[in-house]
Amino acid sequence: MAVMTHAMLKGSNVPLDTAAVRAVLRWTPGPGVPDVDASALVLGPDGRVRSDEDFVFYNQPRHPSGLVRRLPKKRVADGLTDTVEADLGALDAAVDRVVLAASSDGGTFRAVTDLRIHLYDATAAPDREPLASFDVTAETGEETAVICGELYRRGDGWKFRAVGQGYPTGLVGLATDFGISVDEAPEDAADAAGTDASASVSEGSLAETALVDASAAGTGAGTGSAPDPDLDATVVHTPVPPLPPMPPVPPMPEREPAYGYPQSSVPGPGPAYGYPQPVHAGQGGPEPAAEFRMPPMGPQFQRA
């Protein structure tokens, strides 16, 4: 019996009358076209994975149950294919949906102009026509991951819905939205470790420079001896020998008072500007003569 392929539009759905399906991503490679990888998320009724093992992708190509698996890529006449198979009829009753996704490696889906997903009956002959086909187009052109479609329970059977929802955050962002715990990528961890190592080396270099500078400044960071000259330097500076100690300075002799007036016979404060001070009675100085009289005042001091 001939099988009619359902050409799906975004948001449309179609019932499936088979217990096992094969979802095939197909695209045309070429210069500037990123590689495409198929993946699947096995979800519970809450729309989230039950564990990280429910994520089937290139690093984990087989679900623990063996009922959802990723097949190797193949080259066909008109391009490349990447495939996910699911035995829907044998899945645990706790599984409500199987999300079929694609991710790009080396660019965005803007450059993948003919990506489409074909849904086949996995129990039929390989040359049978697909049950459904959906052309997956980029919504903004910046997506690096996209949900192509989903297989979901409806009563006792299953249906396929065309989705076409893009993720600019890539496969990591898509997986995180469904509850996957994404570890840091090994290359990122290596870069971080390299950064730490570089920082350590830089800190060590700075410490070493500080020690060299301390020694050059004579701080005695090591043994306290002067460092050896740098023999590799262009100019070698020879240390200057220290100067001999200065002889002791003899004490300064007592200086005579200013203007040559001796102070031994002048009690009290020293002379002002070299003029001798009057000698007061009872202080050991000579007494004035009894016949001493003041000279008459000049006419300028006499009253008129």
Side-chain angles (χ1 to χ4, degrees), residues 23-56:
V24 180
L25 286 174
R26 186 189 297 261
W27 72 98
T28 302
V33 178
D35 194 21
V36 178
D37 295 297
S39 57
L41 295 114
V42 181
L43 309 181
D46 60 352
R48 297 174 67 84
V49 297
R50 298 162 298 172
S51 72
D52 290 353
E53 293 179 332
D54 285 338
F55 186 26
V56 177

Side-chain angles (χ1 to χ4, degrees), residues 251-277:
M252 295 289 292
E254 284 193 19
R255 194 173 56 180
E256 291 294 328
Y259 296 96
Y261 292 96
Q263 300 298 305
S264 58
S265 61
V266 183
Y273 297 98
Y275 292 98
Q277 301 300 305

Side-chain angles (χ1 to χ4, degrees), residues 1-2 27 62 64 67 92 147 176 203 206 218 220 226 235 237-238:
M1 180 178 64
W27 72 98
R62 191 177 185 88
L67 301 176
D92 191 292
I147 297 176
T176 303
E203 292 172 0
L206 291 175
V235 178
H237 297 279
T238 304

Side-chain angles (χ1 to χ4, degrees), residues 198-249:
S198 299
S200 299
V201 170
S202 299
E203 292 172 0
S205 300
L206 291 175
E208 183 179 356
T209 303
L211 290 175
V212 172
D213 292 343
S215 299
T219 59
T223 60
S225 60
D228 294 333
D230 184 1
L231 300 181
D232 294 330
T234 303
V235 178
V236 178
H237 297 279
T238 304
V240 179
L243 294 175
M246 295 290 293
V249 179

Side-chain angles (χ1 to χ4, degrees), residues 7 66 82 87 94-95 97 106 143 151 160 176 184 189 201-202 215 225 242 258 277 302:
D82 202 6
D87 295 332
V95 176
R97 282 190 293 164
E143 297 89 349
L151 305 163
F160 172 73
T176 303
E184 183 181 15
V201 170
S202 299
S215 299
S225 60
Q277 301 300 305
Q302 296 179 359

Side-chain angles (χ1 to χ4, degrees), residues 4 14 26 32 37 56 59 61 75 81 86 108 111 113 123 136 138 164 166 182 195 208 215 247-248 256-257 292 296:
M4 183 175 63
V14 61
R26 186 189 297 261
D37 295 297
V56 177
N59 280 345
R75 181 172 293 277
T81 66
T108 67
T113 57
T123 62
V136 183
V182 180
T195 302
E208 183 179 356
S215 299
E256 291 294 328
F292 177 77

